[in-house]
Amino acid sequence: MTPEKLCELAKEAMTHSYSPYSGYKVGAALLCADGTVYTGCNIENAAYTPTVCAERTAIFKAVYDGHREFTAIAVCGGKDGVITGRFPPCGVCRQVMGEFCGDDFVIYMVGPDGYETATLAQLLPYSFRASAHMQA
Ligand code: THU
């Protein structure tokens, strides 16, 4: 799976977005360690806070199916599905990534021309992880 192909799958996932409130369509494509890809879109709600982001939709689908090891995720989004700039994952999604992914997990942020790459360590420094529960 190339980064370019993963970004294409994120763009396709964007078309599944349910976003009548913000109008922002977001798509994500998550690459599992075994090569399986899970896609997700943002799903909004009239009460706003129950909204789930594209990244978490993809991660939760994968975890439900038994996957716990992930290599990379591609994310894209834009008003009415038009990509005008990159769409960095929100803080909640970064924290969810931190539950399952290591510092070297790769995030491809799709822009109008290509993509930018960051690691989870770059997007979520000083992260709160399970190990914190074990310190006494
Ligand atoms: N959104 C995502 O899907 N992923 C993010 O990381 C940031 C925000 C969605 C939530 C909402 O439906 C829309 O983008 C506007 O905030």
Side-chain angles (χ1 to χ4, degrees):
M1 173 60 58
T2 63
E4 287 77 13
K5 176 71 182 157
L6 203 62
C7 291
E8 282 307 313
L9 292 172
K11 285 184 191 173
E12 197 284 324
M14 194 168 65
T15 66
H16 296 247
S17 168
Y18 174 74
S19 44
Y21 305 104
S22 76
Y24 278 90
K25 292 180 187 282
V26 188
L30 174 71
L31 180 61
C32 303
D34 69 357
T36 312
V37 174
Y38 280 83
T39 51
C41 65
N42 58 328
I43 302 168
E44 297 189 343
N45 188 277
Y48 289 23
T49 52
T51 293
V52 65
C53 294
E55 299 92 316
R56 277 176 288 144
T57 301
I59 293 168
F60 294 157
K61 280 170 66 181
V63 172
Y64 179 86
D65 279 352
H67 296 274
R68 298 271 177 91
E69 287 177 37
F70 307 113
T71 307
I73 193 166
V75 188
C76 61
K79 191 84 173 168
D80 301 322
V82 180
I83 299 172
T84 55
R86 56 186 167 69
F87 215 86
C90 79
V92 173
C93 289
R94 294 178 197 201
Q95 183 66 25
V96 170
M97 290 171 192
E99 185 68 25
F100 299 104
C101 312
D103 282 345
D104 57 352
F105 180 71
V106 176
I107 298 106
Y108 300 111
M109 294 166 284
V110 183
D113 307 303
Y115 59 88
E116 261 184 71
T117 306
T119 63
L120 186 58
Q122 289 173 308
L123 295 189
L124 192 69
Y126 301 100
S127 62
F128 183 82
R129 282 200 163 100
S131 56
H133 292 288
M134 294 155 199
Q135 287 165 9

